[in-house]
Amino acid sequence: MQRPLIGITPDLAHQEAAHGPTERLFLNLDYAQAVWQAGGIPVVLPPIDEPEAFLSSLNGLLLTGGGDIDPQQYGAATTHPLTYGVSETRDRFEIALIRAALERDLPVLAICRGIQVLNVALGGTLYQHLPDEIPNALNHRQHELGIPSGEVAHPVTIVPDSLLARIVGTTELMVNSYHHQAVATLATPLRVVAVAPDGVIEAVELPGRSFVLAVQWHPERLFERFPAHFALFAALVDAARATRLRQQPALARIDGET
């Protein structure tokens, strides 16, 4: 059976080049490797003015980590001084992309910044800097504790009847952590399905859709050593494969004969 196509959102960076300043795409290859090993074809999506144009060709969507979302996107009156990596281009593109993907019921896995984009796109807000807003918060930037990104740092507690629990096969999971923002006011359609010991929201789902799962940690840094984290990518690809068959019934019949 042909591999499903999984669109992946890259980060953006302004760089100086010999011919002058330019904006470049970049992507941690772990995302692409995880999708490929799970059975999908990773497709990097450059930010364009009409992101929904991609969706008729895709079978699933992966929102990746990166810099902070502009607080103006969720109505914040001020911007925290430690806000970093804001890209108006990326914000605009990803918010429009996720809204269009949800309208099509395209399978979605959102990681770190991705959970925040999903929440903001549906009307939620973010904590701009966890140490300032969560009493006794964990240090969610494990590199500051000397813990490599490919190692787990703290547990999360998972709701037993959730999609996430079914995928990872447990209600307690060790995860990695390197973020300073998180979901604050939850968008109305979303359901919290995992929290950290300090109460920070670590995963959400969107009931009523075939597959929409968002996590605050970085499974792409863990998937090669930890089967539960690889299972997230496998579940996305499985959902995308089912979507592809629904999208192309004629092709589904051909695949079934091969």
Side-chain angles (χ1 to χ4, degrees):
M1 181 177 292
Q2 184 176 341
R3 289 170 175 254
L5 300 179
I6 309 297
I8 305 179
T9 56
D11 209 344
L12 300 177
H14 292 275
Q15 293 184 345
E16 291 295 329
H19 50 75
T22 186
E23 194 167 41
R24 299 179 185 269
L25 308 181
F26 67 98
L27 178 73
N28 183 335
L29 286 179
D30 289 334
Y31 294 109
Q33 289 287 358
V35 167
W36 177 257
Q37 291 191 32
I41 295 179
V43 180
V44 180
L45 306 178
I48 59 173
D49 291 336
E50 298 181 9
E52 62 275 8
F54 289 126
L55 299 181
S56 61
S57 301
L58 297 176
N59 312 122
L61 180 64
L62 175 60
L63 295 182
T64 65
D68 294 334
I69 300 168
D70 186 342
Q72 292 186 11
Q73 292 285 354
Y74 48 93
T78 60
T79 297
H80 194 281
L82 294 181
T83 298
Y84 76 98
V86 170
S87 168
E88 179 182 352
T89 299
R90 187 179 184 189
D91 288 349
R92 184 175 61 251
F93 171 71
E94 290 187 348
I95 289 172
L97 181 69
I98 190 64
R99 287 172 176 166
L102 295 179
E103 288 181 2
R104 289 174 174 260
D105 196 21
L106 201 69
V108 175
L109 175 62
I111 291 174
C112 196
R113 170 190 160 93
I115 188 176
Q116 298 168 15
V117 170
L118 175 65
N119 190 54
V120 169
L122 294 177
T125 67
L126 305 178
Y127 292 123
Q128 291 194 48
H129 190 60
L130 290 174
D132 291 352
E133 304 197 62
I134 303 292
N136 303 313
L138 298 175
N139 187 336
H140 285 267
R141 306 178 99 169
Q142 68 185 55
H143 58 281
E144 295 180 352
L145 302 174
I147 304 174
S149 61
E151 301 291 338
V152 295
H154 70 75
V156 298
T157 300
I158 301 172
V159 174
D161 66 343
S162 62
L163 172 65
L164 177 60
R166 294 194 296 273
I167 290 171
V168 301
T170 184
T171 57
E172 295 287 336
L173 183 67
M174 292 296 296
V175 304
N176 56 3
S177 185
Y178 39 112
H179 61 100
H180 77 120
Q181 300 194 334
V183 172
T185 302
L186 185 71
T188 301
L190 297 175
R191 177 195 185 200
V192 176
V193 293
V195 296
D198 57 6
V200 167
I201 293 173
E202 290 282 343
V204 301
E205 299 172 2
L206 182 56
R209 294 298 197 279
S210 59
F211 186 96
V212 178
L213 175 61
V215 299
Q216 185 60 75
W217 64 90
H218 280 267
E220 83 284 357
R221 301 293 292 170
L222 302 171
F223 80 94
E224 292 185 305
R225 294 176 52 216
F226 299 94
H229 295 286
F230 177 71
L232 297 174
F233 297 97
L236 171 65
V237 170
D238 285 346
R241 186 176 293 113
T243 294
R244 178 176 175 272
L245 296 180
R246 290 197 305 270
Q247 292 168 331
Q248 303 178 33
L251 183 57
R253 291 194 297 272
I254 293 172
D255 285 340
E257 296 169 358
T258 58

